[in-house]
Amino acid sequence: MSQFDKLLQRIKSLDNNMRFDEIRKILEAYGYTMNGPGSGSSHRTFRKSGCQPITIPTHEPIKRICIIMVKQAIVLVT
């Protein structure tokens, strides 16, 4: 099983110990692009044409609600 597959399994199991970089890798693999504010914000927004934007805080651990949003976004794609 590849590292990416392991990350997907962690998302699908709603693992509470996800890091921002792991979430970013998954969303970018599914076609989302990260947009950051000009300065000072601790949140990043991921956008994809035809999909709702997803805003994730960069501090860790990532909250469960954010993991649920990412899970719903990748389930809709697959």
Side-chain angles (χ1 to χ4, degrees):
M1 181 179 282
S2 71
Q3 286 182 337
F4 187 76
D5 291 335
K6 289 179 183 178
L7 283 177
L8 286 177
Q9 286 298 99
R10 289 179 63 198
I11 285 286
K12 290 177 181 178
S13 68
L14 301 177
D15 186 356
N16 288 333
N17 295 317
M18 297 292 297
R19 297 187 329 237
F20 177 78
D21 289 338
E22 295 169 333
I23 299 290
R24 181 183 52 82
K25 285 179 189 177
I26 290 172
L27 287 172
E28 287 178 347
Y30 280 92
Y32 284 83
T33 56
M34 183 173 70
N35 298 86
S39 63
S41 179
S42 63
H43 291 67
R44 300 292 182 261
T45 301
F46 293 88
R47 298 179 190 279
K48 181 178 179 180
S49 179
C51 297
Q52 291 287 331
I54 301 172
T55 301
I56 306 285
T58 57
H59 53 80
E60 298 168 351
I62 303 297
K63 292 183 179 181
R64 184 175 178 88
I65 188 67
C66 295
I67 297 171
I68 290 170
M69 287 188 307
V70 172
K71 179 182 176 183
Q72 290 173 345
I74 65 173
V75 167
L76 291 175
V77 172
T78 57

